[in-house]
Amino acid sequence: MSCQVCSSTLRAGDLFCSACGAAAPNHPVSPSVSEARGRIAGERKFLTVLCSDLQRSTDLISELDPEEAISRLEPALIAMRTAVRRSRGIVSKEGGDGLIALFGAPHADDNHAVLACHAALELVRRIKLLNDPELHVRVGVHSGYVVAHVIEADFSSIYEAGGPAVHLVKRFESTANAGQILASESCQSLATGIVTFKALPPKRLEGFPALVPCYEVVEISGLSRWRARSTSGLSSFVGRNEQISQLERAAQLVGPSGKIAAVVGTAGIGKSRVVHEFVDALRQRDWQVIEAEGNPLEQAVPYALLKKLLQSALQPEKPVVADQAGSGEALASADAELWPAALNSVLDQPVADPRWRDLEPLLRRRVIIDAVRNMLDRVISSRPTVLLLEDLHWIDGQSETVVEALMSLAATRPLLVLLTWRTEHTPEWLEHLDVLRIWLRSLDAASANMLLDNLLGTAPDLDALKARILRHTGQIPLFIEEVARQFISRRVAGETGDADASWDTLEIPPTVQGVIASRIDRLPKEDKALLQLASVLGPRVSPNLLAAVTDMPTAQLQSRLWSLEVFSRRCGRSHLSNTCLPTTLFARLPTSLFSARSARCCTAGY
């Protein structure tokens, strides 16, 4: 007999499912109650909540009929919904004059704070574009823990978040002025660099006894993720000599023809650091660098990455004009006459040629490909060039088509194409190309210790702490850095002077919360359930104990463990074994099955 909610096997006499808590099929609890329990079960998640509301909306509609009132406010609500959805958020709850939106749920996203700030700015902009002087919106944004779950009503279902974080974001919204976006300190710390904030005096908010730090969201800074990170300071570069040597050999092969190389790895493994260290060395040897970066905010913006590529290629040249687009035989083609218009359209510059406006979309794309290829061909023919395209997992679809066509330049020009992407997002069009793939794994023990020495110092009393950090971070560079910085900030703040006590108070750094959660959310449902259950049982869980708790057949349990083993390897490091499932710091898994505060993750590499 199986559970009707989660399909787990039930034993004779079971009244409730041991996996999900739903009532057994023949139990006297009514089916509606049993189904509701299965639906309401939620997850503890670290995400960003946005709350927006129209100021003094009641005054606008108090004397209107219901139909007129809805029509009066609906344009503003449409603008809010559109801004949220275009930034990959979901509308959780909507009232007559505002909404609550979630970013980083139901599927985790490590950019949830940036996406929420972008949505807030876009929301305010769209309300202003309505040209209705009586409509003024206030917005609050906050990043924190919530319990997210689906609530079924009589005629609808709502994916809702609950907890103090939701109450806090409502207080931020109600405190904001018309047209203002107030953000919490946690949101500011996650998005700073990419988003520009203005610090405000702390505010006393209803229901919160202490003064609450406040920031105003001003604008998207325009900095790339790498530039934003590097401006705040970089740790020492360690442990990637082999990968740098592989890239050096690829550069040495560039002559009359070029080479394509790719640095691939999971989030936080150090892809950007490796390629920028290598590219900086090429600059010292008079290589020309053309670079562009995928951006999670621009995945729906046509030719967003291509625009950055053109801007990099044309600097410090003058803006594109007709005689720069092509010459000689190239201009003999009718399409070549449209190349200046094609480049200007990608660069968001005025297009004077009326033929461009009349061109069909497919023909436009072909002309753009030819124009960009011709322009790059002229730029790179003079000296060795590295074309760096980062974070292809965030590339927009239109740019991806052009980039695929540009790969042919490496066959006939002194060009080193250097690409990066996350392991789970390999571009399909690269399968038929000769690409040197360099897979980044966790740091080796010596390099990881060197990194920690540079971050924390070499005092002997820190040796035990360093060993625990390395064991619990899977020796992944980003995780090591963030845990070390959290430890330093705690010591500087004077919260504790004892290393062991400091360790006990450490939490998952917010900067890696989304990275971990997004990996876990990619697991198959059965594997994720097993991972959640194992994390409740203790720091080290034997398969025998798991088998007893789950009542899962040995073969099925072993299959699930092997699946987690494969997942761990793909994340950059394998720690699962046939005897135990080691815990790591980074796994207060979001689930309603246990108290997330006491949970520990049983996969490594986090």
Side-chain angles (χ1 to χ4, degrees):
M1 184 169 57
S2 299
C3 173
Q4 294 179 341
V5 175
C6 69
S7 301
S8 299
T9 301
L10 300 178
R11 294 173 295 188
D14 281 348
L15 301 180
F16 295 91
C17 173
S18 60
C20 70
N26 296 324
H27 190 261
V29 176
S30 68
S32 60
V33 174
S34 174
E35 291 170 6
R37 286 176 178 169
R39 287 194 299 265
I40 292 177
E43 293 183 323
R44 177 185 171 101
K45 286 184 172 291
F46 187 85
L47 47 74
T48 300
V49 187
L50 178 151
C51 180
S52 65
D53 184 72
L54 292 174
Q55 189 178 42
R56 301 181 65 86
S57 59
T58 304
D59 295 344
L60 300 179
I61 64 172
S62 59
E63 298 181 0
L64 299 179
D65 290 333
E67 293 84 356
E68 293 175 333
I70 292 174
S71 299
R72 181 74 179 83
L73 301 181
E74 186 63 18
L77 289 172
I78 291 174
M80 295 181 192
R81 295 186 208 113
T82 303
V84 166
R85 290 165 182 163
R86 289 198 172 185
S87 296
R88 303 210 302 270
I90 63 168
V91 176
S92 169
K93 187 181 295 184
E94 186 173 313
D97 58 355
L99 55 79
I100 294 177
L102 307 179
F103 295 81
H107 300 292
D109 191 318
D110 50 314
N111 298 289
H112 54 86
V114 175
L115 292 169
C117 291
H118 182 266
L121 289 165
E122 180 69 7
L123 187 154
V124 172
R125 186 185 73 86
R126 287 176 176 271
I127 295 294
K128 290 179 179 179
L129 288 177
L130 295 175
N131 292 321
D132 188 335
E134 295 181 307
L135 291 180
H136 302 285
V137 68
R138 304 174 304 195
V139 186
V141 188
H142 171 56
S143 302
Y145 281 108
V146 301
V147 174
H149 53 275
V150 176
I151 295 180
E152 297 283 355
D154 291 338
F155 299 103
S156 64
S157 60
I158 301 172
Y159 186 75
E160 188 175 60
V166 180
H167 293 269
L168 179 58
V169 76
K170 290 179 180 178
R171 298 291 181 266
F172 276 121
E173 174 271 312
S174 62
T175 306
N177 298 321
Q180 188 179 39
I181 305 167
L182 290 186
S184 66
E185 186 175 33
S186 59
C187 178
Q188 183 269 345
S189 64
L190 287 171
T192 188
I194 298 177
V195 180
T196 302
F197 295 87
K198 176 184 176 182
L200 300 175
K203 297 181 181 295
R204 188 169 299 281
L205 303 180
E206 181 183 353
F208 295 86
L211 290 173
V212 179
C214 291
Y215 296 83
E216 181 178 0
V217 179
V218 178
E219 62 180 357
I220 302 297
S221 68
L223 293 177
S224 67
R225 289 168 59 85
W226 168 252
R227 299 302 173 197
R229 183 183 172 198
S230 58
T231 54
S232 61
L234 297 173
S235 60
S236 56
F237 182 62
V238 299
R240 299 303 189 191
N241 294 333
E242 180 183 349
Q243 290 78 18
I244 294 293
S245 297
Q246 289 179 280
L247 291 172
E248 288 284 1
R249 288 193 292 271
Q252 292 169 6
L253 294 175
V254 173
S257 61
K259 184 70 176 175
I260 303 175
V263 177
V264 186
T266 56
I269 206 70
K271 301 181 294 298
S272 292
R273 186 66 186 274
V274 169
V275 296
H276 281 282
E277 291 285 342
F278 173 67
V279 167
D280 287 345
L282 292 183
R283 280 195 179 97
Q284 301 297 322
R285 304 204 295 264
D286 200 34
W287 277 61
Q288 180 177 219
V289 178
I290 300 173
E291 57 185 324
E293 179 188 65
N295 190 320
L297 300 176
E298 299 173 335
Q299 282 184 279
V301 179
Y303 299 113
L305 181 139
L306 188 61
K307 177 182 177 180
K308 288 182 272 191
L309 188 152
L310 289 178
Q311 290 172 335
S312 177
L314 293 170
Q315 290 179 353
E317 296 183 10
K318 298 177 182 178
V320 179
V321 294
D323 61 359
Q324 288 180 303
S327 59
E329 296 181 5
L331 286 176
S333 165
D335 286 349
E337 297 177 1
L338 292 172
W339 288 353
L343 297 179
N344 285 332
S345 69
V346 173
L347 291 167
D348 294 328
Q349 295 178 1
V351 178
D353 195 330
R355 294 174 296 174
W356 182 254
R357 291 190 292 272
D358 298 333
L359 212 58
E360 295 180 358
L362 290 178
L363 291 177
R364 281 191 181 188
R365 184 172 65 182
R366 190 188 71 186
V367 176
I368 288 174
I369 290 173
D370 291 342
V372 174
R373 183 160 46 192
N374 176 73
M375 186 273 296
L376 282 180
D377 188 41
R378 290 182 296 105
V379 171
I380 67 180
S381 60
S382 57
R383 58 185 171 129
T385 302
V386 56
L387 175 60
L388 172 59
L389 300 176
E390 286 191 80
D391 294 336
L392 289 185
H393 46 275
W394 287 321
I395 191 173
D396 61 279
Q398 291 80 0
S399 293
E400 186 170 21
T401 301
V402 182
V403 167
E404 179 181 0
L406 295 179
M407 294 299 103
S408 61
L409 289 173
T412 58
R413 288 290 182 266
L415 177 66
L416 174 61
V417 179
L418 186 53
L419 313 172
T420 73
W421 67 79
R422 291 185 180 178
T423 312
E424 66 274 15
H425 295 287
T426 302
E428 294 181 2
W429 49 269
L430 282 170
E431 295 299 328
H432 63 277
L433 297 176
D434 180 17
V435 180
L436 169 64
R437 301 195 185 195
I438 301 173
W439 299 86
L440 289 190
R441 308 293 183 186
S442 302
L443 293 174
D444 60 76
S447 299
N449 274 295
M450 188 182 303
L451 177 59
L452 269 180
D453 287 345
N454 293 329
L455 290 169
L456 299 179
T458 56
D461 61 331
L462 293 174
D463 289 346
L465 173 69
K466 292 176 183 178
R468 296 179 74 174
I469 291 177
L470 295 184
R471 184 168 64 251
H472 290 286
T473 59
Q475 298 173 195
I476 293 178
L478 175 65
F479 297 173
I480 293 174
E481 292 177 14
E482 294 305 319
V483 171
R485 289 188 177 118
Q486 188 184 72
F487 172 77
I488 292 171
S489 65
R490 291 286 178 88
R491 295 290 292 271
V492 170
E495 294 182 16
T496 176
D498 181 78
D500 288 335
S502 298
W503 170 263
D504 292 336
T505 63
L506 287 177
E507 299 175 351
I508 310 170
T511 46
V512 298
Q513 291 274 357
V515 175
I516 301 162
S518 63
R519 292 184 187 178
I520 294 172
D521 280 353
R522 292 199 306 272
L523 286 169
K525 180 180 178 181
E526 296 81 2
D527 293 350
K528 182 178 177 180
L530 179 61
L531 184 63
Q532 292 173 331
L533 182 59
S535 24
V536 185
L537 297 178
R540 298 182 72 84
V541 184
S542 70
N544 290 336
L545 178 57
L546 277 179
V549 171
T550 62
D551 199 24
M552 190 181 296
T554 302
Q556 184 180 355
L557 177 61
Q558 188 63 45
S559 175
R560 297 270 69 84
L561 293 179
W562 274 114
S563 179
L564 289 172
E565 168 79 11
V566 172
F567 173 72
S568 179
R569 289 181 184 276
R570 291 184 62 189
C571 288
R573 188 174 179 89
S574 173
H575 286 279
L576 298 178
S577 69
N578 292 328
T579 58
C580 65
L581 298 175
T583 182
T584 80
L585 169 67
F586 300 103
R588 293 169 181 173
L589 297 181
T591 175
S592 63
L593 298 178
F594 57 90
S595 170
R597 290 189 177 276
S598 62
R600 295 293 186 270
C601 181
C602 63
T603 57
Y606 294 111

